[in-house]
Amino acid sequence: MKTYLLPKDGHFYKANLHCHTNFSDGKKTPAEVKEIYQRLGYSIVAYTDHDILIPHDELTDDDFLALHGFEIEMSDYSEGVTSETRRTCHICCIGLEPETVVQPCWHRTLYQKHYFYGNAKDHAKEVKFDESEPDFERDFSPACINAFMKTARQKGFFVTYNHPTWSLESYGDYIRYEGMHAFEIMNGGCLAEGFDDYNPRVYDDLLRGGKQIYCIGADDNHNGRRETDRHWDSGVAFTVIKAESLDYRTVTKALQDGHFYASEAPEIFELYYEDGVVTVKCSDADRVICTCGIRSAQVVYAEGQPITEASFTVSETCGYFRITVVDEKGRHACTNAYFMKDLLG
């Protein structure tokens, strides 16, 4: 029986799921961000300014969806740690319902702490929070990070773990994190600035460590450079979501169900599993790779002309598989991992 890993029906929507504006440390207004991304062919932007959940529903229309979100950071402020050596964990949260506008894990005196970026403090009074809950004290520890992720999920957010390379985090840090829905396999803003935040190895570390999670691509845009500059950080990495319509809950349900892939440019048109074989149909590619949860890998190379389709036999014992499409410029598209226990029932 053929199982479509990306839904057979629906529409593909290009999305940026990690975005900053001048409400925190970005340089563009929310409306200017919308204009930039629509011009680049996007239909969805999750506005995830640092530390403040501010909805921008006024920007949503028939062709554009503004998702509610924010980014939170837990950082190491130990004595002797400098800004250049400070490890930090950054997490984005996207509200799953259009009514999700109450920020979890709020602190009433954020301005007195290391919690605000840029202009965020100027918008703190606009944040809605549960006044019956105590202040959430942050620290750079797995216990605090996991408590936050657990609470955010319980409060109805899609939780992503972001850019471990820029954050100076290593295996000993991220393998202890629990509760993320997805991992940022590619961060366009970090890549544009020279950080190696295309992180497939980290994704496999997390998967092989028992975390059944998705992977996304996102810009983390701040737009502090000229648009003609190669450092420009809009449109570098993105997530392509397949959903029936550009409706808030329809799109976030597709996120929950893993109906998307991450990309720096290549497109994936079809992805399905049938009788032990996974098949991908894609835009012109130099190579297509199948990575598994065990020491098993396969690759199909272009020979004389680009690849637009590839098939791989995957064993019942491979744990999981994921597909990577690489174009002639070395840009990647990455599927989520698919687990054999789910496909075989």
Side-chain angles (χ1 to χ4, degrees):
M1 182 180 72
K2 182 181 290 188
T3 300
Y4 282 90
L5 305 176
L6 288 173
K8 183 178 180 181
D9 300 318
H11 307 280
F12 286 111
Y13 296 108
K14 194 173 180 180
N16 179 18
L17 300 179
H18 183 173
C19 164
H20 299 289
T21 75
N22 66 354
F23 276 49
S24 62
D25 60 345
K27 302 302 182 184
K28 302 294 185 182
T29 68
E32 287 172 330
V33 166
K34 173 183 176 178
E35 187 278 326
I36 290 167
Y37 277 90
Q38 281 198 301
R39 183 156 36 86
L40 293 171
Y42 287 66
S43 301
I44 301 165
V45 169
Y47 287 85
T48 57
D49 275 305
H50 285 282
D51 305 305
I52 51 170
L53 172 55
I54 308 292
H56 297 288
D57 293 325
E58 73 280 1
L59 300 178
T60 294
D61 55 36
D62 290 342
D63 301 311
F64 184 83
L65 177 62
L67 297 176
H68 308 158
F70 68 99
E71 184 176 22
I72 191 172
E73 56 284 333
M74 284 74 157
S75 304
D76 182 4
Y77 286 99
S78 302
E79 184 177 354
V81 175
T82 67
S83 60
E84 291 82 8
T85 62
R86 180 172 294 118
R87 290 179 297 152
T88 184
C89 177
H90 285 217
I91 301 164
C92 277
C93 299
I94 299 171
L96 291 172
E97 300 284 349
E99 299 82 15
T100 305
V101 295
V102 176
Q103 182 163 332
C105 301
W106 182 250
H107 197 291
R108 290 165 180 79
T109 55
L110 285 172
Y111 62 89
Q112 297 176 355
K113 297 182 175 291
H114 306 287
Y115 290 174
F116 276 137
Y117 278 59
N119 300 320
K121 63 181 181 299
D122 299 329
H123 297 275
K125 292 183 179 179
E126 301 170 44
V127 173
K128 296 180 180 179
F129 65 96
D130 187 341
E131 297 190 12
S132 69
E133 294 186 352
D135 290 341
F136 182 78
E137 295 286 351
R138 304 182 201 175
D139 64 78
F140 183 66
S141 70
C144 180
I145 291 162
N146 294 345
F148 171 78
M149 289 187 179
K150 179 179 179 180
T151 299
R153 288 180 71 120
Q154 290 174 340
K155 299 290 187 179
F157 288 86
F158 185 84
V159 178
T160 68
Y161 168 56
N162 305 334
H163 51 59
T165 299
W166 180 92
S167 299
L168 298 182
E169 293 202 287
S170 59
Y171 181 88
D173 299 310
Y174 57 71
I175 200 62
R176 295 188 289 172
Y177 299 159
E178 301 288 346
M180 66 189 79
H181 288 96
F183 158 68
E184 208 171 62
I185 197 170
M186 52 186 72
N187 180 294
C190 294
L191 289 166
E193 292 296 333
F195 293 91
D196 188 15
D197 263 301
Y198 171 58
N199 279 304
R201 175 56 187 269
V202 176
Y203 190 32
D204 285 315
D205 283 344
L206 292 165
L207 295 167
R208 291 168 184 158
K211 304 175 200 314
Q212 192 164 335
I213 59 173
Y214 305 131
C215 68
I216 66 166
D219 269 341
D220 191 4
N221 58 293
H222 296 81
N223 303 115
R225 305 278 189 152
R226 295 188 307 273
E227 194 163 350
T228 54
D229 194 319
R230 290 184 67 181
H231 291 86
W232 180 251
D233 56 6
S234 287
V236 183
F238 51 90
T239 300
V240 179
I241 303 169
K242 195 161 193 186
E244 289 291 335
S245 66
L246 196 62
D247 167 75
Y248 194 109
R249 188 63 186 109
T250 302
V251 166
T252 58
K253 180 65 163 57
L255 282 178
Q256 285 181 284
D257 292 340
H259 295 163
F260 58 86
Y261 65 91
S263 184
E264 296 169 306
E267 296 176 274
I268 296 176
F269 306 125
E270 287 188 40
L271 183 67
Y272 57 85
Y273 171 85
E274 185 175 24
D275 299 330
V277 177
V278 57
T279 297
V280 59
K281 297 182 180 181
C282 57
S283 57
D284 288 356
D286 174 71
R287 59 195 181 276
V288 181
I289 303 163
C290 179
T291 302
C292 294
I294 58 174
R295 188 180 296 115
S296 174
Q298 303 170 64
V299 59
V300 175
Y301 291 105
E303 300 290 348
Q305 59 184 8
I307 302 165
T308 58
E309 181 174 343
S311 295
F312 304 94
T313 300
V314 289
S315 72
E316 295 184 6
T317 59
C318 76
Y320 67 83
F321 62 83
R322 59 182 187 83
I323 304 297
T324 305
V325 177
V326 187
D327 70 12
E328 63 178 4
K329 294 183 178 180
R331 298 172 298 185
H332 307 85
C334 301
T335 73
N336 288 312
Y338 298 94
F339 286 76
M340 297 306 297
K341 63 183 179 63
D342 297 330
L343 292 170
L344 298 175

